[in-house]
Amino acid sequence: MTIGTTEGGSRAGAGRPRRGTGANAGRPHAALALPGVLFFLFFAAVPMVLAFCLSFTEWNGLGNPRPAGLANWRKLFDDDRLTQSLMVTVLLTVVSWAFQTVVSILLGVWAAGRQRNRAILSAIFFVPFLLSSTAISLLFYALLDPNFGIVHGDTLGSTDGAFLAIVFVGGWQFIPFHTLIYQGGARQIPEVLYQAAAIDGAGRYRRFFSITLPQLRNTATTSGVLMVVGSLTYFETVLILTQGGPGTDTAILPYLMYEAGFKSYDFGYASAIASFLVVAATALSLLLVRLSGFGTMRSTREGM
């Protein structure tokens, strides 16, 4: 009697889907994303739309904007400084990405190990990221001062010196953040892969290049997109360290936007530069994601 009831109950419940199963099992409710969506709309999407609309007007910051049609966009593409600023911005982005990626991978893989005092040193490495870009730029401006700094010579007065100073200061601040990303990625690599490689006689460097780097491919894509977007939006470092100099050799696009808006009070033209920068950064990020296959990535952990 008991067995029959159990079998009948099983047959009766066989046609009903169990709660918590199916494609939506374990997924958080969409309402949980509402605060983040609202924050993005009010502080990112709406300002970008307003700036894009302002790029079709003529406005000096006082009174009401007057329609200007495509005048600001024609001025942008006819401006000789745009080409130079774009080249400097691209070069800064590429060099910063290369410098920060190499150092971040090495530090991240090291921090993922079991070395003595690793946790303490990792916390110390993360300190520069907690400081503001303005404070860091002022600190290095004082250190590189030709009269009172610790570096002899006018580093910021030469084109190469000013450019490398911007790259180094930006890397000094943001490498800890990307180190943390690579540290988390390195800790997800299955230990069995290293054990099998050790049995096959692979040394430390061979394991690094044959196991660690391939397993960090998706992590490198994530970090790379963040680096590219961050490099395209450098501003405080350039403003405080070089002010676009010497001459206009380090005048990147965000600094060109600053000059148009807050020196020439041409906010319509400045908005056109800002809109162009947003489009360029978005297109480049999507290109990186597309070429790397990041959009179709899956977990590479063992058993998942």
Side-chain angles (χ1 to χ4, degrees):
M1 185 68 177
T2 304
I3 296 176
T5 304
T6 303
E7 292 177 351
S10 300
R11 287 193 298 269
R16 296 194 301 267
R18 296 181 180 179
R19 177 176 296 180
T21 61
N24 296 324
R27 292 185 178 180
H29 198 276
L32 296 177
L34 185 60
V37 172
L38 293 177
F39 184 87
F40 176 79
L41 287 176
F42 284 115
F43 295 99
V46 173
M48 284 191 293
V49 172
L50 292 178
F52 181 74
C53 295
L54 194 61
S55 67
F56 298 97
T57 65
E58 181 182 349
W59 188 44
N60 62 358
L62 300 175
N64 296 322
R66 297 187 300 272
L70 297 175
N72 290 320
W73 289 94
R74 286 194 295 264
K75 179 181 178 181
L76 175 63
F77 292 109
D78 292 338
D79 194 345
D80 295 334
R81 297 180 302 170
L82 175 65
T83 303
Q84 181 187 10
S85 296
L86 189 59
M87 292 178 60
V88 174
T89 304
V90 171
L91 183 61
L92 177 64
T93 301
V94 173
V95 175
S96 298
W97 172 82
F99 171 59
Q100 295 183 29
T101 298
V102 172
V103 179
S104 298
I105 289 178
L106 295 177
L107 289 177
V109 172
W110 174 85
R114 301 177 180 177
Q115 297 85 353
R116 186 178 181 182
N117 299 325
R118 173 187 53 79
I120 297 176
L121 293 177
S122 298
I124 294 175
F125 291 158
F126 197 73
V127 169
F129 184 69
L130 303 178
L131 305 177
S132 68
S133 299
T134 303
I136 293 175
S137 300
L138 289 172
L139 171 63
F140 277 94
Y141 182 79
L143 293 175
L144 297 175
D145 186 275
N147 298 317
F148 306 102
I150 62 174
V151 178
H152 297 288
D154 189 7
T155 303
L156 300 178
S158 65
T159 301
D160 294 338
F163 182 84
L164 293 177
I166 295 173
V167 172
F168 178 81
V169 173
W172 189 81
Q173 180 182 10
F174 293 108
I175 281 176
F177 172 72
H178 296 284
T179 296
L180 189 64
I181 294 178
Y182 283 109
Q183 180 185 15
R187 286 181 175 177
Q188 301 303 313
I189 301 176
E191 185 66 25
V192 66
L193 297 179
Y194 294 104
Q195 295 173 354
I199 294 175
D200 291 339
R204 177 182 300 178
Y205 296 104
R206 181 60 182 272
R207 293 197 299 267
F208 176 78
F209 286 104
S210 299
I211 298 177
T212 305
L213 285 184
Q215 291 289 318
L216 292 177
R217 180 175 64 89
N218 296 327
T219 305
T221 302
T222 304
S223 176
V225 171
L226 295 175
M227 287 181 186
V228 168
V229 175
S231 299
L232 289 174
T233 56
Y234 270 163
F235 175 70
E236 301 100 322
T237 306
V238 175
L239 176 65
I240 295 174
L241 283 183
T242 66
Q243 296 184 358
T248 58
D249 291 339
T250 58
I252 57 177
L253 283 176
Y255 186 79
L256 195 66
M257 176 187 65
Y258 162 78
E259 282 191 329
F262 296 97
K263 287 189 175 182
S264 301
Y265 298 101
D266 190 353
F267 290 99
Y269 182 52
S271 298
I273 299 175
S275 301
F276 175 79
L277 187 60
V278 169
V279 172
T282 303
L284 186 57
S285 300
L286 293 177
L287 180 62
L288 289 175
V289 171
R290 178 72 175 179
L291 294 178
S292 62
F294 181 80
T296 58
M297 79 172 186
R298 295 293 184 269
S299 174
T300 55
R301 293 188 61 189
E302 184 182 28
M304 296 184 66

